[in-house]
Amino acid sequence: MKAALRATGLFLIPYSINLTLYTISFYLRSVLREVDIKLIPSHIDNEPIIRKKIAQKLKWKGEPNFYFKLVKRSIDARKNPVMYQLRFLVSSDSNIQSDADRIGINYRESGSGKRVIIIGAGPAGYFAALQCLEYGLKPIVLDRGKDVRARRRDLRAIQQLGEVNPHSNYCFGEGGAGTYSDGKLYTRSKKRGHYLKTLKVLVDHGAKSDILIDAHPHIGSNKLPGIISNIRNTIETHGGQVLFDHYV
């Protein structure tokens, strides 16, 4: 039999080699990969097309079974048609974890912890307070202005009457100067902790999960005040304090 196969130019591949090749193929597909593809807007939610594009990019033939997870999304509008640029994590393992998934946030009860005085209830002050909660420290946040709801009345006085409260205005008060901005988030810094942790905190307090994948995430000025109030509630629920009308 073997002689006949050799005569025709065919060779038998031992079963062990076949098994090894299969194992290598399976391993390569189980490795977590990043794949970038482009799609027109009408295909953005079309799973069969996305699956086909990913397989083509990885040069996988047939209909391979794999899982994928969107981790980054941007829009290229420089040419017609407009294209979505998408980045996926791809694996044969259904439990795909992105960087955001691996970030754990655990706020501890801090009512009896050491006190930390934080001046200002802006973004830096509130995120410092949340960091204190992770270490079991009790943050006490002091701000010269008012909470988000009361601050709106002072802004209305500026707009309609031209009256400025020096302690509660567009600059001072809960959330700081950014409370009534349009909510764009451009930072991608990883020097002092992953920027995704900041975005995840915002999602946990009411922002859309889209900000975790959008190249230019946007919260929206209509949502920011509520998110800021929710962060204050987290601080107070875990034993911290936020004191307004406290000028230092």
Side-chain angles (χ1 to χ4, degrees), residues 19-225:
L19 184 60
T20 301
L21 291 174
Y22 174 81
T23 303
I24 292 173
S25 175
F26 179 82
Y27 171 75
L28 289 175
R29 288 181 184 172
S30 66
V31 172
L32 199 61
R33 298 162 177 253
E34 281 190 353
V35 179
D36 294 325
I37 64 173
K38 291 185 178 182
L39 291 175
I40 58 176
S42 60
H43 291 167
I44 191 71
D45 295 317
N46 191 316
E47 183 174 332
I49 290 179
I50 293 173
R51 184 173 290 276
K52 182 178 179 180
K53 287 273 190 180
I54 291 174
Q56 288 175 344
K57 195 69 178 286
L58 293 173
K59 298 181 180 179
W60 288 347
K61 297 180 180 180
E63 297 182 358
N65 184 30
F66 60 88
Y67 299 89
F68 55 89
K69 183 170 188 174
L70 180 63
V71 292
K72 189 174 181 180
R73 176 176 60 197
S74 62
I75 298 176
D76 185 354
R78 293 173 296 179
K79 296 180 181 179
N80 193 22
V82 172
M83 301 292 288
Y84 272 95
Q85 299 183 133
L86 308 174
R87 175 168 295 168
F88 292 93
L89 291 180
V90 181
S91 174
S92 62
D93 185 353
S94 61
N95 186 28
I96 298 178
Q97 286 195 323
S98 64
D99 288 342
D101 295 328
R102 286 189 286 270
I103 295 174
I105 303 173
N106 181 33
Y107 303 124
R108 295 160 58 184
E109 176 58 41
S110 62
S112 59
K114 290 184 178 180
R115 296 186 302 169
V116 177
I117 306 299
I118 299 171
I119 308 301
Y126 269 5
F127 274 86
L130 293 176
Q131 190 72 54
C132 286
L133 295 180
E134 291 190 64
Y135 289 111
L137 303 173
K138 179 177 181 174
I140 301 176
V141 184
L142 308 178
D143 196 279
R144 66 191 291 180
K146 301 178 182 178
D147 64 77
V148 168
R149 186 178 296 275
R151 191 177 170 194
R152 286 176 179 169
R153 292 191 288 270
D154 294 322
L155 297 183
R156 193 175 299 114
I158 294 174
Q159 297 164 352
Q160 297 178 358
L161 305 174
E163 297 177 356
V164 179
N165 182 332
H167 300 298
S168 179
N169 46 58
Y170 281 107
C171 292
F172 302 123
E174 186 175 26
T179 302
Y180 300 99
S181 71
D182 60 0
K184 289 187 177 68
L185 304 166
Y186 288 137
T187 181
R188 286 294 180 269
S189 174
K190 298 180 183 179
K191 291 182 179 179
R192 296 177 179 84
H194 207 297
Y195 69 90
L196 280 172
K197 182 178 180 180
T198 301
L199 299 183
K200 196 166 184 179
V201 167
L202 295 171
V203 170
D204 290 344
H205 290 90
K208 289 185 177 180
S209 59
D210 287 359
I211 67 173
L212 295 172
I213 59 174
D214 285 337
H216 297 291
H218 179 227
I219 294 178
S221 56
N222 60 321
K223 290 185 175 293
L224 272 172

